[in-house]
């Protein structure tokens, strides 16, 4: 079992779950409170399984410094408006679905977990795609907001397809995953009357940054909030 | 409608209630019964969704991943319970938008308990144990309420609530048995939440405006004081097992009554909170309004998209029949 | 606050397991059928209460009126021969 790979995928799920949890009590409609919490809970469940493969889940979540986290920069980006949250979900769940589908099929050490998770993620992706369609092709304002969110997060999408060591995927696999992801996202965005962003999908900072422990400023504040109570009572159990 | 028919309807309604049958949405019912139910169900639904806030306050700071998952699921349930209750209220011909509007403009209330702040992590436990405990004591009899949709919603709510109270108790137990700092945190939370929880049962019976009529209609099954006493009797031994004390020097077992006596409740405090002068009234309602207003563009977008699709379906050329 | 954008109301029916009928669970709001189905899944089957869901626009339901209760339902009350207990079967006869 390659712990570095489990840590990378576990941190993705942990951090995105936390970001979605920030919506509690703030969602645009009550039905969406329930939907976002469902997704957050699925991700937290995945994170706990993955982190437990590496060590103690709470030590890993609460006692690591920012530079020791291996999640993508995409998932740590603040929620912004609902459009930003949906764009982040669209990009990430599309990636996670393809990756887990692949891992589930190859019989490797993560295949059992991936097979269970891929069912959950199929729903996350569907949720994001449904909303992308409605916001993109809804009102002028929603179209503008959704386009702005897709554009803003585009620069974090290249990092997703930088090979993660220990997953048993070779360079060509990652190229194929990227192509499948791009095709799907293009189809959804176009169907939603949105333009596929044109900017670079990575810059010098974001290219592979998160996977190497290099994060963006909002992440530090997120961890400060998440870890504060746990760290204030060293050794306590909860 | 002639008065003779109204009388016949009224007699049928009274007979149904007396026979413990359920009143269903399309049955004839006295206007005052309908109005009471709408007011009570709306207030109940509002309490569920405002009640998300004090606990959601700790989701991002939950001290372990297990606790975080539990808390997220619990706050999610509260949104769900709000939805069940709005849905039950809508069977009486009011829309959820109308009810939310009344909440946002202060014309309908929610439970005053949620106008108290959650200052420490232990408050999450105290809410689960005491606030949810009081709510369950209040709600279990509502599962037999005379109005069918309300009773059915409450069956669902009560089934799901049982985990809420247990998780709160377990959380407090872990703190009470933990480090001295954790124990102190738990005791402080119980000290702050005990009296407001007792006030959740409403004013004493002799001062309760709506009680008698609601009992006659079997919307309510037990008096405020009866339920409050039941709750105190349940909590005393539970507090002992927790190793925490309840902040009432007058609390003691009364052999003669077979119940615990407890100290006088400071009703002036509750009156102030109801009037809007509680520590968090502004904050809770403000956040609720903001979420609603900031979400308007999302709701409009989805409605606009649905309208576009309906138009597209209607204007699509029909397939030629061969 | 406008109510012009209030999403329509949908009635939700849940089949709790294979072999049983869909049963009315409650209602919810959604902009369209697809979202109604998804919201129903999140709201009414959070604890794996179902294997299949129906959503129906509330406005599309035609209900019998309680006033018509007698003409609607009384005639069937005097047809006991529709119920198996109407028939006397000699003791010892099985599988009937």
């Amino acid at each position: 079992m390659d712990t570095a790979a489990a840590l990378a995928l576990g941190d993705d799920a942990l951090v995105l779950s936390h970001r979605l949890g920030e919506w509690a009590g703030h969602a645009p409609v009550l039905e969406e409170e329930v939907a976002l919490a469902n997704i957050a809970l699925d991700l937290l469940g995945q994170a706990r399984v993955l982190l437990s493969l590496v060590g103690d889940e709470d030590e890993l979540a609460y006692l690591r410094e920012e530079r020791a986290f291996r999640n993508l920069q995409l998932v740590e980006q603040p929620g912004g408006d609902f459009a930003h949250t949906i764009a982040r979900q669209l990009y990430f769940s599309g990636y996670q679905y393809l990756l887990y589908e692949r891992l589930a099929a190859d019989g490797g050490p993560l295949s059992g977990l991936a097979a269970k998770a891929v069912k959950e993620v199929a729903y996350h992706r569907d949720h994001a795609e449904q909303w992308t369609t409605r916001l993109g092709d809804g009102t002028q304002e929603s179209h503008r907001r959704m386009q702005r969110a897709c554009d803003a997060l585009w620069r974090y999408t290249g990092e997703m397809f930088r090979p993660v060591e220990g997953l048993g995927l070779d360079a060509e696999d990652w190229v194929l995953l990227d192509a499948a992801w791009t095709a799907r996202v293009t189809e959804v965005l176009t169907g939603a009357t949105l333009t596929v962003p044109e900017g670079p999908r990575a810059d010098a900072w974001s290219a592979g940054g998160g996977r190497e422990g290099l994060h963006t400023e909002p992440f530090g504040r997120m961890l400060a909030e998440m870890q504060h109570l746990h760290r204030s009572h060293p050794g306590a159990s909860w | 409608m002639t008065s003779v028919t109204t009388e016949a309807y009224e007699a049928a309604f009274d007979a149904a209630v007396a026979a413990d049958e359920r009143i269903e949405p399309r049955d004839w019912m006295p206007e005052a019964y309908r109005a009471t139910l709408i007011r009570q169900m709306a207030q109940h639904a509002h309490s569920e969704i405002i009640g998300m806030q004090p606990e959601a306050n700790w989701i991002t700071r939950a001290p372990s991943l297990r606790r975080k998952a539990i808390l997220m699921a619990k706050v999610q349930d509260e949104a769900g319970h709000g939805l069940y209750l709005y849905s039950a209220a809508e069977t009486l011909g009011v829309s959820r938008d109308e009810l939310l509007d009344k909440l946002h403009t202060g014309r309908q209330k929610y439970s005053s308990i949620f106008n108290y702040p959650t200052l420490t992590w232990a408050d999450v436990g105290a809410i689960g144990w005491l606030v949810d405990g009081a709510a369950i004591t209040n709600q279990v009899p509502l599962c037999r309420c005379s109005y069918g949709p309300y009773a059915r919603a409450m069956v669902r709510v009560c089934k799901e609530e049982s985990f809420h109270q247990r998780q709160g108790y377990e959380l407090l137990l872990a703190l009470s048995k933990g480090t001295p700092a954790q124990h102190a945190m738990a005791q402080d939370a119980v000290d702050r939440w005990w009296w407001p929880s007792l006030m959740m049962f409403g004013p004493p019976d002799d001062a309760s405006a709506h009680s008698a009529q609601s009992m006659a209609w079997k919307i309510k099954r037990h008096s405020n004081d009866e339920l409050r006493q039941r709750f105190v009797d349940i909590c005393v031994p539970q507090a002992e097992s927790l190793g925490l004390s309840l902040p009432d020097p007058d609390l003691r077992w009364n052999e003669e009554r077979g119940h615990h006596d407890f100290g006088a409740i400071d009703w002036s405090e509750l009156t102030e909170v109801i009037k809007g002068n509680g520590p968090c009234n502004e904050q809770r309602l403000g956040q609720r309004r903001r979420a609603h207003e900031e979400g308007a563009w999302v709701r409009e977008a989805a409605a606009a998209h649905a309208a576009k699709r309906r138009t597209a379906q209607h204007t699509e050329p029909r397939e030629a029949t061969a | 606050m406008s109510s012009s954008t209030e999403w329509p109301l949908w009635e939700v029916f849940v089949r709790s397991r294979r072999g049983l009928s869909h049963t009315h669970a409650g209602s919810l709001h959604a902009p369209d059928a697809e979202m109604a189905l998804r919201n129903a899944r999140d709201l009414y089957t959070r604890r794996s209460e179902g294997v299949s869901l129906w959503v129906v626009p509330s406005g599309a339901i035609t209900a019998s009126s309680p006033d018509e209760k007698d003409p609607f339902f009384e005639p069937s009350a005097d047809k006991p021969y529709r119920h198996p207990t109407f028939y006397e079967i000699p003791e010892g006869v099985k599988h009937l």
Side-chain angles (χ1 to χ4, degrees), chain B residues 27-42:
Chain B
D27 290 340
W28 183 91
M29 59 189 87
E31 267 318 301
Y33 176 83
R34 181 186 297 271
T36 299
L37 276 171
I38 291 177
R39 184 176 51 79
Q40 185 175 334
M41 283 193 272

PDB file of all heavy atoms in Angstrom, chain B residues 27-42:
ATOM      1  N   ASP B  27     -60.463  17.663   4.631  1.00  0.00           N
ATOM      2  CA  ASP B  27     -61.632  17.634   5.517  1.00  0.00           C
ATOM      3  C   ASP B  27     -62.029  19.050   5.908  1.00  0.00           C
ATOM      4  O   ASP B  27     -61.186  19.938   5.992  1.00  0.00           O
ATOM      5  CB  ASP B  27     -61.307  16.867   6.813  1.00  0.00           C
ATOM      6  CG  ASP B  27     -61.139  15.386   6.565  1.00  0.00           C
ATOM      7  OD1 ASP B  27     -61.635  14.907   5.523  1.00  0.00           O
ATOM      8  OD2 ASP B  27     -60.501  14.703   7.393  1.00  0.00           O
ATOM      9  N   TRP B  28     -63.304  19.217   6.191  1.00  0.00           N
ATOM     10  CA  TRP B  28     -63.736  20.492   6.753  1.00  0.00           C
ATOM     11  C   TRP B  28     -63.107  20.638   8.133  1.00  0.00           C
ATOM     12  O   TRP B  28     -62.995  19.675   8.890  1.00  0.00           O
ATOM     13  CB  TRP B  28     -65.260  20.525   6.876  1.00  0.00           C
ATOM     14  CG  TRP B  28     -65.746  21.859   7.374  1.00  0.00           C
ATOM     15  CD1 TRP B  28     -66.091  22.930   6.610  1.00  0.00           C
ATOM     16  CD2 TRP B  28     -65.899  22.258   8.743  1.00  0.00           C
ATOM     17  NE1 TRP B  28     -66.447  23.987   7.409  1.00  0.00           N
ATOM     18  CE2 TRP B  28     -66.335  23.599   8.732  1.00  0.00           C
ATOM     19  CE3 TRP B  28     -65.694  21.631   9.971  1.00  0.00           C
ATOM     20  CZ2 TRP B  28     -66.588  24.327   9.902  1.00  0.00           C
ATOM     21  CZ3 TRP B  28     -65.944  22.351  11.147  1.00  0.00           C
ATOM     22  CH2 TRP B  28     -66.388  23.686  11.098  1.00  0.00           C
ATOM     23  N   MET B  29     -62.665  21.842   8.473  1.00  0.00           N
ATOM     24  CA  MET B  29     -62.152  22.085   9.832  1.00  0.00           C
ATOM     25  C   MET B  29     -62.447  23.521  10.225  1.00  0.00           C
ATOM     26  O   MET B  29     -62.532  24.394   9.358  1.00  0.00           O
ATOM     27  CB  MET B  29     -60.655  21.790   9.910  1.00  0.00           C
ATOM     28  CG  MET B  29     -59.807  22.616   8.962  1.00  0.00           C
ATOM     29  SD  MET B  29     -58.083  22.072   8.900  1.00  0.00           S
ATOM     30  CE  MET B  29     -58.132  20.801   7.626  1.00  0.00           C
ATOM     31  N   PRO B  30     -62.623  23.780  11.518  1.00  0.00           N
ATOM     32  CA  PRO B  30     -62.880  25.161  11.953  1.00  0.00           C
ATOM     33  C   PRO B  30     -61.700  26.042  11.545  1.00  0.00           C
ATOM     34  O   PRO B  30     -60.548  25.603  11.584  1.00  0.00           O
ATOM     35  CB  PRO B  30     -62.958  25.048  13.482  1.00  0.00           C
ATOM     36  CG  PRO B  30     -63.163  23.611  13.792  1.00  0.00           C
ATOM     37  CD  PRO B  30     -62.568  22.834  12.664  1.00  0.00           C
ATOM     38  N   GLU B  31     -61.987  27.264  11.155  1.00  0.00           N
ATOM     39  CA  GLU B  31     -60.931  28.181  10.730  1.00  0.00           C
ATOM     40  C   GLU B  31     -59.867  28.359  11.809  1.00  0.00           C
ATOM     41  O   GLU B  31     -58.680  28.455  11.528  1.00  0.00           O
ATOM     42  CB  GLU B  31     -61.532  29.540  10.335  1.00  0.00           C
ATOM     43  CG  GLU B  31     -61.843  29.659   8.858  1.00  0.00           C
ATOM     44  CD  GLU B  31     -60.747  29.080   7.957  1.00  0.00           C
ATOM     45  OE1 GLU B  31     -59.602  29.563   8.047  1.00  0.00           O
ATOM     46  OE2 GLU B  31     -61.027  28.134   7.183  1.00  0.00           O
ATOM     47  N   ALA B  32     -60.326  28.421  13.080  1.00  0.00           N
ATOM     48  CA  ALA B  32     -59.366  28.646  14.168  1.00  0.00           C
ATOM     49  C   ALA B  32     -58.420  27.452  14.324  1.00  0.00           C
ATOM     50  O   ALA B  32     -57.254  27.609  14.664  1.00  0.00           O
ATOM     51  CB  ALA B  32     -60.103  28.911  15.478  1.00  0.00           C
ATOM     52  N   TYR B  33     -58.930  26.245  14.049  1.00  0.00           N
ATOM     53  CA  TYR B  33     -58.091  25.036  14.107  1.00  0.00           C
ATOM     54  C   TYR B  33     -57.014  25.126  13.023  1.00  0.00           C
ATOM     55  O   TYR B  33     -55.828  24.919  13.276  1.00  0.00           O
ATOM     56  CB  TYR B  33     -58.995  23.819  13.885  1.00  0.00           C
ATOM     57  CG  TYR B  33     -58.306  22.474  13.810  1.00  0.00           C
ATOM     58  CD1 TYR B  33     -57.973  21.765  14.964  1.00  0.00           C
ATOM     59  CD2 TYR B  33     -58.019  21.890  12.565  1.00  0.00           C
ATOM     60  CE1 TYR B  33     -57.366  20.509  14.887  1.00  0.00           C
ATOM     61  CE2 TYR B  33     -57.421  20.640  12.483  1.00  0.00           C
ATOM     62  CZ  TYR B  33     -57.094  19.949  13.647  1.00  0.00           C
ATOM     63  OH  TYR B  33     -56.498  18.715  13.574  1.00  0.00           O
ATOM     64  N   ARG B  34     -57.456  25.487  11.827  1.00  0.00           N
ATOM     65  CA  ARG B  34     -56.527  25.644  10.707  1.00  0.00           C
ATOM     66  C   ARG B  34     -55.455  26.691  11.038  1.00  0.00           C
ATOM     67  O   ARG B  34     -54.255  26.460  10.867  1.00  0.00           O
ATOM     68  CB  ARG B  34     -57.295  26.059   9.442  1.00  0.00           C
ATOM     69  CG  ARG B  34     -56.439  26.226   8.196  1.00  0.00           C
ATOM     70  CD  ARG B  34     -57.263  26.791   7.039  1.00  0.00           C
ATOM     71  NE  ARG B  34     -58.336  25.892   6.636  1.00  0.00           N
ATOM     72  CZ  ARG B  34     -58.201  24.937   5.716  1.00  0.00           C
ATOM     73  NH1 ARG B  34     -57.063  24.795   5.081  1.00  0.00           N
ATOM     74  NH2 ARG B  34     -59.210  24.157   5.414  1.00  0.00           N
ATOM     75  N   ALA B  35     -55.905  27.842  11.570  1.00  0.00           N
ATOM     76  CA  ALA B  35     -54.968  28.924  11.863  1.00  0.00           C
ATOM     77  C   ALA B  35     -53.975  28.515  12.950  1.00  0.00           C
ATOM     78  O   ALA B  35     -52.773  28.795  12.851  1.00  0.00           O
ATOM     79  CB  ALA B  35     -55.730  30.177  12.284  1.00  0.00           C
ATOM     80  N   THR B  36     -54.469  27.811  13.963  1.00  0.00           N
ATOM     81  CA  THR B  36     -53.584  27.357  15.044  1.00  0.00           C
ATOM     82  C   THR B  36     -52.531  26.408  14.503  1.00  0.00           C
ATOM     83  O   THR B  36     -51.351  26.506  14.824  1.00  0.00           O
ATOM     84  CB  THR B  36     -54.413  26.636  16.137  1.00  0.00           C
ATOM     85  OG1 THR B  36     -55.355  27.559  16.657  1.00  0.00           O
ATOM     86  CG2 THR B  36     -53.535  26.124  17.258  1.00  0.00           C
ATOM     87  N   LEU B  37     -52.982  25.476  13.657  1.00  0.00           N
ATOM     88  CA  LEU B  37     -52.045  24.511  13.104  1.00  0.00           C
ATOM     89  C   LEU B  37     -50.990  25.187  12.244  1.00  0.00           C
ATOM     90  O   LEU B  37     -49.803  24.878  12.331  1.00  0.00           O
ATOM     91  CB  LEU B  37     -52.797  23.494  12.243  1.00  0.00           C
ATOM     92  CG  LEU B  37     -53.413  22.327  12.987  1.00  0.00           C
ATOM     93  CD1 LEU B  37     -54.299  21.552  12.041  1.00  0.00           C
ATOM     94  CD2 LEU B  37     -52.325  21.420  13.549  1.00  0.00           C
ATOM     95  N   ILE B  38     -51.426  26.110  11.400  1.00  0.00           N
ATOM     96  CA  ILE B  38     -50.462  26.782  10.528  1.00  0.00           C
ATOM     97  C   ILE B  38     -49.429  27.518  11.386  1.00  0.00           C
ATOM     98  O   ILE B  38     -48.229  27.415  11.158  1.00  0.00           O
ATOM     99  CB  ILE B  38     -51.166  27.758   9.559  1.00  0.00           C
ATOM    100  CG1 ILE B  38     -51.980  26.966   8.535  1.00  0.00           C
ATOM    101  CG2 ILE B  38     -50.148  28.641   8.841  1.00  0.00           C
ATOM    102  CD1 ILE B  38     -52.786  27.826   7.573  1.00  0.00           C
ATOM    103  N   ARG B  39     -49.926  28.224  12.394  1.00  0.00           N
ATOM    104  CA  ARG B  39     -49.009  28.978  13.265  1.00  0.00           C
ATOM    105  C   ARG B  39     -48.019  28.032  13.950  1.00  0.00           C
ATOM    106  O   ARG B  39     -46.816  28.247  13.938  1.00  0.00           O
ATOM    107  CB  ARG B  39     -49.830  29.733  14.321  1.00  0.00           C
ATOM    108  CG  ARG B  39     -49.036  30.641  15.230  1.00  0.00           C
ATOM    109  CD  ARG B  39     -49.953  31.421  16.184  1.00  0.00           C
ATOM    110  NE  ARG B  39     -50.893  30.575  16.917  1.00  0.00           N
ATOM    111  CZ  ARG B  39     -50.574  29.840  17.990  1.00  0.00           C
ATOM    112  NH1 ARG B  39     -49.365  29.877  18.456  1.00  0.00           N
ATOM    113  NH2 ARG B  39     -51.483  29.091  18.585  1.00  0.00           N
ATOM    114  N   GLN B  40     -48.534  26.933  14.475  1.00  0.00           N
ATOM    115  CA  GLN B  40     -47.664  26.024  15.214  1.00  0.00           C
ATOM    116  C   GLN B  40     -46.686  25.280  14.303  1.00  0.00           C
ATOM    117  O   GLN B  40     -45.515  25.149  14.609  1.00  0.00           O
ATOM    118  CB  GLN B  40     -48.513  25.021  16.012  1.00  0.00           C
ATOM    119  CG  GLN B  40     -47.642  24.132  16.905  1.00  0.00           C
ATOM    120  CD  GLN B  40     -48.460  23.217  17.805  1.00  0.00           C
ATOM    121  OE1 GLN B  40     -49.608  23.522  18.140  1.00  0.00           O
ATOM    122  NE2 GLN B  40     -47.859  22.107  18.197  1.00  0.00           N
ATOM    123  N   MET B  41     -47.170  24.800  13.168  1.00  0.00           N
ATOM    124  CA  MET B  41     -46.265  24.068  12.266  1.00  0.00           C
ATOM    125  C   MET B  41     -45.215  24.993  11.684  1.00  0.00           C
ATOM    126  O   MET B  41     -44.057  24.616  11.530  1.00  0.00           O
ATOM    127  CB  MET B  41     -47.064  23.398  11.144  1.00  0.00           C
ATOM    128  CG  MET B  41     -47.782  22.150  11.593  1.00  0.00           C
ATOM    129  SD  MET B  41     -48.374  21.195  10.180  1.00  0.00           S
ATOM    130  CE  MET B  41     -49.950  21.930   9.939  1.00  0.00           C
ATOM    131  N   ALA B  42     -45.626  26.216  11.351  1.00  0.00           N
ATOM    132  CA  ALA B  42     -44.660  27.171  10.797  1.00  0.00           C
ATOM    133  C   ALA B  42     -43.591  27.476  11.835  1.00  0.00           C
ATOM    134  O   ALA B  42     -42.393  27.423  11.552  1.00  0.00           O
ATOM    135  CB  ALA B  42     -45.369  28.451  10.373  1.00  0.00           C
TER     136      ALA B  42
END
